[in-house]
Amino acid sequence: MGIVEQIIWLIFVINAISAIVTVFRKPRNITTIWAWLLTLIFLPVLGFLIYAFCGRGIDGETMYRFEQEDEKRVKEINEIIQHDNRHVDYNAPDQLYPAANALVKFFKNLDESPLSIRNEVAFFLNGTDKFERLFVDLRAAKSTIHVEYYAFFDDKIGNRFMRILEEKAAEGVEVRMIYDPWGAPKTDKKFFETLIRNGGKVTAFITSRNILAKTRLNYHLHRKIVVVDGQIGWTGGFNVGDQYLGESKRFGNWRDTHGRIEGTASFTLQEIFIRDWNASVKDKSQRMSYLPEYFVLPEKEITKGVGMQIVADGPDTGTQVIKDGFVRLIMSAEKSVWIQTPYLVPDETMISAILIAVRSGIDVRIMIPNMPDHPFIYRATQYYANYLHQRGVKIYHYADGFIHSKTMVVDDELATFGSTNQDIRSYELNFEVSSFIYDPEIAQLFKKIFEDDMQDCILLTDQIIADQSRWLTFKQQFSRLLSPVL
């Protein structure tokens, strides 16, 4: 062996040892370990650069450290919700599945998410309808508008949105906005200049600060939240951009699910916004307090409420609260579990829950896009779609544009919607928010929506899988290997 070969071999050995030491420095699941080992060993130097920004985990900074008075105020607000619940008729979780009551307790214990009852909820599946109704609420705002989006584009709908915020700020309404620069790459200081000059306040999410020093490139604000006057909340899957109105040639029709919540569940969205704001602003003097005007009981009389919990999750918690809630929902099913998700890259726990349901005779259906928006993630989605189909799950490829909806409906009892995808990134890396609804009418509505969407779907079959080329199969299997780090 020549000197050159010896040097190459030595570099390979040192790189492999460094990779092993690096990956095993912190606890990880086995699939993530193998994914990072492959990346570090077969991409020398470059692999370590990727790991530095995407694999080190959230830094040691305590992101949501409450002051004592904040903790006290949050408990007081939750008590207000619980007291208000007594005055509204609703389908209590203990009237539904036993698992529903257990799920309520689970979220209360881990996330301090109160069960809220006095709510009216309307759903929007079309971007134009969603934004036109949202703009009505924004224009009617009297005291506060709090906005938090992953993607906020400098395009037609983004500028319409921004002009309304600028006008309301000029009227004296408190306008605050949190955004993620990685989801909104063209929204710079100039984009927010007029809003700030008119009295509005804007901050990038904390994970976008000091990226080179903190190496938090892999952690994104994925939530979509708007709270108006402390009593109307918006959350779901739509970001702010023309493509979400179906105006993109690449995607065509954009099918999503977003909810307008009028009631006390908006209090939880408000708490999430305040926590995110306080974690993100640089100066402690800019922090928000839990003021009464941020938490206003509904003005309209709501005699029949929708029981729901809104749950926040992120890599700072150390617990995959939302995913565990999904698992609990699936395990409670007696007849059916129907899921819509743009990305299907589940971890072993979720796969086990799905397969246990199928093997128990539960009708499990999953609807995914029939086109990619992220090539590697789409190929991994195809791999898991094929895998689950071959084990009894009905897989539907949505063919009328792009489906971005993140919903789950269990039997005719329980439902969820929000920002959380069925993928490892949403489970472990993103800051998400999802709503868990304990109301048969909403569950039946979600099932009807799913059935309507099925008319625009291609049902995956054994023949479709058999007809896939070897090259496509290779890309699916390779992408699956990288799924823990996508």
Side-chain angles (χ1 to χ4, degrees), residues 314-328:
D316 60 302
T317 64
T319 305
Q320 296 172 18
V321 182
I322 293 176
K323 186 203 76 175
D324 290 345
F326 291 155
V327 171
R328 189 63 189 255

PDB file of all heavy atoms in Angstrom, residues 314-328:
ATOM      1  N   GLY A 314     -42.430  21.233  20.791  1.00  0.00           N
ATOM      2  CA  GLY A 314     -41.188  21.672  20.172  1.00  0.00           C
ATOM      3  C   GLY A 314     -40.005  20.927  20.743  1.00  0.00           C
ATOM      4  O   GLY A 314     -40.124  20.211  21.748  1.00  0.00           O
ATOM      5  N   PRO A 315     -38.835  21.076  20.128  1.00  0.00           N
ATOM      6  CA  PRO A 315     -37.648  20.341  20.583  1.00  0.00           C
ATOM      7  C   PRO A 315     -37.142  20.794  21.942  1.00  0.00           C
ATOM      8  O   PRO A 315     -36.275  20.138  22.521  1.00  0.00           O
ATOM      9  CB  PRO A 315     -36.618  20.652  19.485  1.00  0.00           C
ATOM     10  CG  PRO A 315     -37.082  21.926  18.875  1.00  0.00           C
ATOM     11  CD  PRO A 315     -38.565  21.895  18.944  1.00  0.00           C
ATOM     12  N   ASP A 316     -37.684  21.890  22.469  1.00  0.00           N
ATOM     13  CA  ASP A 316     -37.264  22.375  23.782  1.00  0.00           C
ATOM     14  C   ASP A 316     -37.898  21.578  24.917  1.00  0.00           C
ATOM     15  O   ASP A 316     -37.431  21.625  26.055  1.00  0.00           O
ATOM     16  CB  ASP A 316     -37.644  23.837  23.938  1.00  0.00           C
ATOM     17  CG  ASP A 316     -39.145  24.051  23.813  1.00  0.00           C
ATOM     18  OD1 ASP A 316     -39.691  23.685  22.748  1.00  0.00           O
ATOM     19  OD2 ASP A 316     -39.767  24.552  24.762  1.00  0.00           O
ATOM     20  N   THR A 317     -38.998  20.843  24.631  1.00  0.00           N
ATOM     21  CA  THR A 317     -39.755  20.207  25.701  1.00  0.00           C
ATOM     22  C   THR A 317     -39.159  18.887  26.161  1.00  0.00           C
ATOM     23  O   THR A 317     -39.369  18.475  27.299  1.00  0.00           O
ATOM     24  CB  THR A 317     -41.209  19.958  25.263  1.00  0.00           C
ATOM     25  OG1 THR A 317     -41.219  19.030  24.157  1.00  0.00           O
ATOM     26  CG2 THR A 317     -41.864  21.262  24.825  1.00  0.00           C
ATOM     27  N   GLY A 318     -38.458  18.183  25.246  1.00  0.00           N
ATOM     28  CA  GLY A 318     -37.923  16.875  25.598  1.00  0.00           C
ATOM     29  C   GLY A 318     -38.964  15.771  25.539  1.00  0.00           C
ATOM     30  O   GLY A 318     -38.658  14.604  25.768  1.00  0.00           O
ATOM     31  N   THR A 319     -40.202  16.123  25.231  1.00  0.00           N
ATOM     32  CA  THR A 319     -41.296  15.148  25.142  1.00  0.00           C
ATOM     33  C   THR A 319     -42.096  15.420  23.875  1.00  0.00           C
ATOM     34  O   THR A 319     -42.454  16.564  23.602  1.00  0.00           O
ATOM     35  CB  THR A 319     -42.242  15.259  26.352  1.00  0.00           C
ATOM     36  OG1 THR A 319     -41.474  15.131  27.545  1.00  0.00           O
ATOM     37  CG2 THR A 319     -43.302  14.168  26.316  1.00  0.00           C
ATOM     38  N   GLN A 320     -42.377  14.400  23.104  1.00  0.00           N
ATOM     39  CA  GLN A 320     -43.128  14.559  21.860  1.00  0.00           C
ATOM     40  C   GLN A 320     -44.623  14.499  22.182  1.00  0.00           C
ATOM     41  O   GLN A 320     -45.312  13.514  21.919  1.00  0.00           O
ATOM     42  CB  GLN A 320     -42.710  13.486  20.865  1.00  0.00           C
ATOM     43  CG  GLN A 320     -41.252  13.606  20.448  1.00  0.00           C
ATOM     44  CD  GLN A 320     -40.771  12.439  19.609  1.00  0.00           C
ATOM     45  OE1 GLN A 320     -41.557  11.691  19.047  1.00  0.00           O
ATOM     46  NE2 GLN A 320     -39.461  12.277  19.531  1.00  0.00           N
ATOM     47  N   VAL A 321     -45.123  15.587  22.742  1.00  0.00           N
ATOM     48  CA  VAL A 321     -46.471  15.605  23.303  1.00  0.00           C
ATOM     49  C   VAL A 321     -47.529  15.389  22.225  1.00  0.00           C
ATOM     50  O   VAL A 321     -48.446  14.572  22.387  1.00  0.00           O
ATOM     51  CB  VAL A 321     -46.736  16.935  24.040  1.00  0.00           C
ATOM     52  CG1 VAL A 321     -48.125  16.931  24.655  1.00  0.00           C
ATOM     53  CG2 VAL A 321     -45.681  17.180  25.111  1.00  0.00           C
ATOM     54  N   ILE A 322     -47.429  16.116  21.120  1.00  0.00           N
ATOM     55  CA  ILE A 322     -48.453  16.009  20.081  1.00  0.00           C
ATOM     56  C   ILE A 322     -48.439  14.621  19.451  1.00  0.00           C
ATOM     57  O   ILE A 322     -49.494  14.003  19.253  1.00  0.00           O
ATOM     58  CB  ILE A 322     -48.254  17.107  19.017  1.00  0.00           C
ATOM     59  CG1 ILE A 322     -48.522  18.486  19.629  1.00  0.00           C
ATOM     60  CG2 ILE A 322     -49.173  16.866  17.817  1.00  0.00           C
ATOM     61  CD1 ILE A 322     -48.263  19.649  18.683  1.00  0.00           C
ATOM     62  N   LYS A 323     -47.257  14.120  19.128  1.00  0.00           N
ATOM     63  CA  LYS A 323     -47.194  12.778  18.532  1.00  0.00           C
ATOM     64  C   LYS A 323     -47.769  11.734  19.473  1.00  0.00           C
ATOM     65  O   LYS A 323     -48.525  10.836  19.051  1.00  0.00           O
ATOM     66  CB  LYS A 323     -45.750  12.414  18.189  1.00  0.00           C
ATOM     67  CG  LYS A 323     -45.628  11.087  17.430  1.00  0.00           C
ATOM     68  CD  LYS A 323     -44.277  10.448  17.568  1.00  0.00           C
ATOM     69  CE  LYS A 323     -44.107   9.805  18.938  1.00  0.00           C
ATOM     70  NZ  LYS A 323     -42.837   9.070  19.064  1.00  0.00           N
ATOM     71  N   ASP A 324     -47.434  11.828  20.753  1.00  0.00           N
ATOM     72  CA  ASP A 324     -47.978  10.873  21.718  1.00  0.00           C
ATOM     73  C   ASP A 324     -49.502  10.981  21.793  1.00  0.00           C
ATOM     74  O   ASP A 324     -50.202   9.979  21.994  1.00  0.00           O
ATOM     75  CB  ASP A 324     -47.365  11.109  23.099  1.00  0.00           C
ATOM     76  CG  ASP A 324     -45.898  10.705  23.158  1.00  0.00           C
ATOM     77  OD1 ASP A 324     -45.443  10.001  22.243  1.00  0.00           O
ATOM     78  OD2 ASP A 324     -45.202  11.107  24.109  1.00  0.00           O
ATOM     79  N   GLY A 325     -50.018  12.203  21.610  1.00  0.00           N
ATOM     80  CA  GLY A 325     -51.469  12.367  21.549  1.00  0.00           C
ATOM     81  C   GLY A 325     -52.059  11.659  20.345  1.00  0.00           C
ATOM     82  O   GLY A 325     -53.117  11.025  20.432  1.00  0.00           O
ATOM     83  N   PHE A 326     -51.379  11.765  19.186  1.00  0.00           N
ATOM     84  CA  PHE A 326     -51.823  11.043  17.997  1.00  0.00           C
ATOM     85  C   PHE A 326     -51.867   9.537  18.259  1.00  0.00           C
ATOM     86  O   PHE A 326     -52.819   8.850  17.881  1.00  0.00           O
ATOM     87  CB  PHE A 326     -50.879  11.315  16.824  1.00  0.00           C
ATOM     88  CG  PHE A 326     -50.926  12.714  16.279  1.00  0.00           C
ATOM     89  CD1 PHE A 326     -49.825  13.245  15.616  1.00  0.00           C
ATOM     90  CD2 PHE A 326     -52.061  13.501  16.409  1.00  0.00           C
ATOM     91  CE1 PHE A 326     -49.858  14.522  15.087  1.00  0.00           C
ATOM     92  CE2 PHE A 326     -52.106  14.792  15.892  1.00  0.00           C
ATOM     93  CZ  PHE A 326     -50.997  15.301  15.229  1.00  0.00           C
ATOM     94  N   VAL A 327     -50.800   9.033  18.877  1.00  0.00           N
ATOM     95  CA  VAL A 327     -50.742   7.596  19.163  1.00  0.00           C
ATOM     96  C   VAL A 327     -51.893   7.175  20.053  1.00  0.00           C
ATOM     97  O   VAL A 327     -52.552   6.152  19.826  1.00  0.00           O
ATOM     98  CB  VAL A 327     -49.382   7.242  19.806  1.00  0.00           C
ATOM     99  CG1 VAL A 327     -49.390   5.801  20.325  1.00  0.00           C
ATOM    100  CG2 VAL A 327     -48.250   7.439  18.811  1.00  0.00           C
ATOM    101  N   ARG A 328     -52.164   7.996  21.076  1.00  0.00           N
ATOM    102  CA  ARG A 328     -53.266   7.667  21.989  1.00  0.00           C
ATOM    103  C   ARG A 328     -54.609   7.660  21.248  1.00  0.00           C
ATOM    104  O   ARG A 328     -55.468   6.814  21.504  1.00  0.00           O
ATOM    105  CB  ARG A 328     -53.297   8.674  23.141  1.00  0.00           C
ATOM    106  CG  ARG A 328     -54.268   8.302  24.266  1.00  0.00           C
ATOM    107  CD  ARG A 328     -53.830   6.989  24.908  1.00  0.00           C
ATOM    108  NE  ARG A 328     -54.821   6.480  25.831  1.00  0.00           N
ATOM    109  CZ  ARG A 328     -54.714   6.524  27.154  1.00  0.00           C
ATOM    110  NH1 ARG A 328     -53.662   7.077  27.707  1.00  0.00           N
ATOM    111  NH2 ARG A 328     -55.644   6.012  27.927  1.00  0.00           N
TER     112      ARG A 328
END
